[in-house]
Amino acid sequence: MLLDNHGRKINYLRLAVTDRCNLRCFYCMPAEGLDWLSRRELMTYEEMLRACSLLVKMGIEKIRITGGEPFVRKDIMQLLTALSKLDGLKELSLTTNGVLTAPHVAELKRIGVRSVNLSLDTLDANRFFAITRRDEFASVMETMEELLKHDMEVKINTVVMAGKNTQDIIPLVELTKNLPVSVRFIEEMPFNGEGHSYSGIVWDYVRIFDEIRQTFPDIQKVPDPQYSTSYNYSIPGHKGSVGIIAAYSRTFCGTCNRIRITPQGTLKNCLYDDGVLNIKDLMRLRISDTELEQTLRRAFNTREKDGWQAEQKRLENPNFHESMATIGG
Ligand code: SAM
Ligand code: SF4
C-alpha cells in the first residue's frame, strides 16, 4: 500500500495525455489556446505505460485519463486498451468534453471502462458557445446519449461560474429526474492559463447547495463514498443524483488519495502544487524501475498537507500561469 507523509493512502492516478483541446473553455485556457507542447515534450505512450505499470505495482488501483481533451491525441484508444490490461488495475476511467467521444463509446465499454466523466456547463447551445468558444453542443449531447445507451455510468461535470451559467444549475439538476446521471457542480478554480489569481469565489459549495435546495427542498444528503471529493445528494423520485465539489474551498484534502501526471511527465502531488519531479526526463535518462520507484516514494513523502499549503509555494513563482488543460482537472 502506498502512503504519503501524512498517512494518507495514494491509490488514484490522474494522467493528462495532452494539453491540446478542441474547445476553449474560458475558465481553462485563453481564446488563442496555449503555447502547445511539442511532440518531444510530451510523454510517449510507451513512457506513460511504463510509468503506469510501475505505479500500479506500487499501489495505484485507479487511473483516470484526462487532458486537454484525450480524444484529440492520436490513437488514444491504443493507450486505453493497453492500460486496461494492466494487472492489478481495478478501474480505468476518463474525463472528456464529449466532442469526439461518441464513436468510441462501444469500444470503451468493450475494454472495460465503466464510468465516464462528461464535462457540460450548460444545457443551452448559445451559452455553451459563450463558455467554450466553439459550436459543439450537439456533439456533446450525442456523446451523453451514446454513453447512456451503453449503460455507462455518466458523471456530468459542471463548473459553476458567476454571471455565466448559474441559471443552468436547476435545469441540470432537473436532468437527473429522468436520466440516471450524476450531475456534479464544481467550484471554479484559478487555472485558466492566464495566471489570474483570486482571493475567493462567489459561488462556493454552500451557495450552490442553497440554490438547489430552494427549488428542491426535499433534497437529501447521501453517504459519500470513501475518498469522494463530492458532497453527494439524492432527490426523491429522481433517477440520477447530484454532487457538489468544493474544489476551490478544498474541503477534501484530509483524505486525498490522488496524484497527477501532466502531459509533459510532471508528477503533481496536489492539484495546487507546481510539480515535484519530471518522470519523463528521468526515464529518458534511462533510470531503472527500481530507482524510479525509490524516487517516486521519496516524492510521495513530501506531500503538502493540503491545497492551501501547496498553492502558497506555487504562488512564490510569479511566472507560473498554469492551465487546467495541463493539470487534467
Ligand atoms: N477536456 C476534458 C474535459 O473538459 O472534460 C478533460 C480535461 S478538463 C481540464 C477536466 C475537468 O476540469 C473538466 O471537467 C473541466 O470542466 C474542469 N476544469 C477546467 N478548468 C477548470 C477550472 N478553472 N475550475 C474548475 N474546473 C475546471
Ligand atoms: Fe478543453 Fe476540457 Fe479545458 Fe474545456 S476544460 S478547454 S474541454 S481541456
Side-chain angles (χ1 to χ4, degrees):
M1 195 205 289
L2 259 185
L3 293 178
D4 73 7
N5 46 321
H6 303 281
R8 292 172 296 197
K9 184 172 174 180
I10 300 176
N11 62 356
Y12 176 16
L13 164 68
R14 298 176 64 101
L15 174 64
V17 293
T18 178
D19 57 338
R20 293 179 193 237
C21 192
N22 42 10
L23 297 184
R24 291 288 181 278
C25 307
F26 78 93
Y27 50 75
C28 180
M29 59 173 78
E32 65 278 14
L34 303 170
D35 196 1
W36 308 119
L37 296 166
S38 66
R39 190 192 284 199
R40 167 122 198 101
E41 287 170 293
L42 282 178
M43 285 185 106
T44 64
Y45 286 162
E46 288 71 25
E47 288 164 343
M48 288 181 193
L49 262 177
R50 182 179 164 198
C52 288
S53 158
L54 180 64
L55 282 161
V56 169
K57 283 191 193 117
M58 291 170 68
I60 291 294
E61 297 172 316
K62 170 176 172 182
I63 297 179
R64 173 175 298 280
I65 297 301
T66 173
E69 173 50 35
F71 287 98
V72 163
R73 183 140 178 193
K74 197 162 166 261
D75 298 328
I76 188 64
M77 287 305 298
Q78 276 179 18
L79 175 74
L80 283 158
T81 306
L83 289 174
S84 72
K85 294 179 182 152
L86 281 183
D87 239 3
L89 185 66
K90 293 189 181 150
E91 190 179 335
L92 176 65
S93 56
L94 72 150
T95 301
T96 173
N97 63 26
V99 173
L100 298 172
T101 318
H104 300 285
V105 172
E107 183 62 5
L108 287 171
K109 174 119 194 204
R110 198 191 63 75
I111 64 167
V113 173
R114 291 191 305 268
S115 166
V116 170
N117 286 11
L118 181 66
S119 301
L120 179 64
D121 300 320
T122 173
L123 290 173
D124 176 274
N126 292 326
R127 274 199 295 283
F128 182 94
F129 181 79
I131 293 168
T132 67
R133 304 166 171 134
R134 294 291 184 273
D135 189 13
E136 293 286 0
F137 179 68
S139 6
V140 182
M141 295 308 280
E142 194 192 329
T143 290
M144 177 151 66
E145 268 177 40
E146 201 62 15
L147 289 167
L148 291 171
K149 208 168 88 190
H150 285 83
D151 285 329
M152 291 279 215
E153 185 188 358
V154 180
K155 293 183 181 165
I156 294 177
N157 284 355
T158 302
V159 181
V160 178
M161 299 154 281
K164 299 280 184 187
N165 70 340
T166 53
Q167 64 273 62
D168 284 291
I169 295 176
I170 299 306
L172 279 159
V173 174
E174 277 164 353
L175 203 65
T176 67
K177 185 158 178 42
N178 295 316
L179 296 180
V181 295
S182 168
V183 176
R184 292 125 43 92
F185 297 100
I186 308 175
E187 291 177 351
E188 187 182 355
M189 293 176 268
F191 296 117
N192 67 353
E194 299 182 84
H196 89 162
S197 67
Y198 37 79
S199 52
I201 47 169
V202 183
W203 281 83
D204 66 0
Y205 67 108
V206 178
R207 182 154 177 200
I208 296 170
F209 180 69
D210 282 347
E211 174 77 7
I212 299 172
R213 194 173 44 185
Q214 276 183 31
T215 306
F216 299 97
D218 49 357
I219 185 168
Q220 289 164 4
K221 182 83 190 71
V222 295
D224 301 321
Q226 195 181 20
Y227 309 121
S228 172
T229 51
S230 52
Y231 296 113
N232 298 289
Y233 303 91
S234 70
I235 298 170
H238 283 219
K239 287 189 179 150
S241 60
V242 173
I244 302 178
I245 303 182
Y248 181 85
S249 305
R250 283 158 258 189
T251 54
F252 43 66
C253 301
T255 55
C256 180
N257 64 337
R258 53 192 66 195
I259 52 169
R260 292 173 169 80
I261 298 181
T262 71
Q264 62 271 55
T266 303
L267 172 74
K268 282 168 78 87
N269 270 335
C270 171
L271 177 68
Y272 284 87
D273 75 25
D274 63 352
V276 285
L277 60 89
N278 190 293
I279 295 176
K280 174 200 71 198
D281 293 348
L282 291 174
M283 289 193 287
R284 290 187 188 173
L285 287 170
R286 302 191 185 283
I287 191 172
S288 70
D289 274 5
T290 314
E291 287 169 310
L292 185 54
E293 176 171 344
Q294 285 165 356
T295 311
L296 287 166
R297 284 192 193 277
R298 276 197 298 276
F300 300 146
N301 252 318
T302 62
R303 272 178 115 205
E304 300 295 342
K305 182 165 88 38
D306 57 34
W308 298 104
Q309 278 191 7
E311 183 178 38
Q312 207 45 49
K313 281 203 174 156
R314 184 168 60 92
L315 293 177
E316 284 165 15
N317 178 356
N319 297 319
F320 197 70
H321 300 329
E322 203 165 19
S323 155
M324 193 62 96
T326 55
I327 306 175

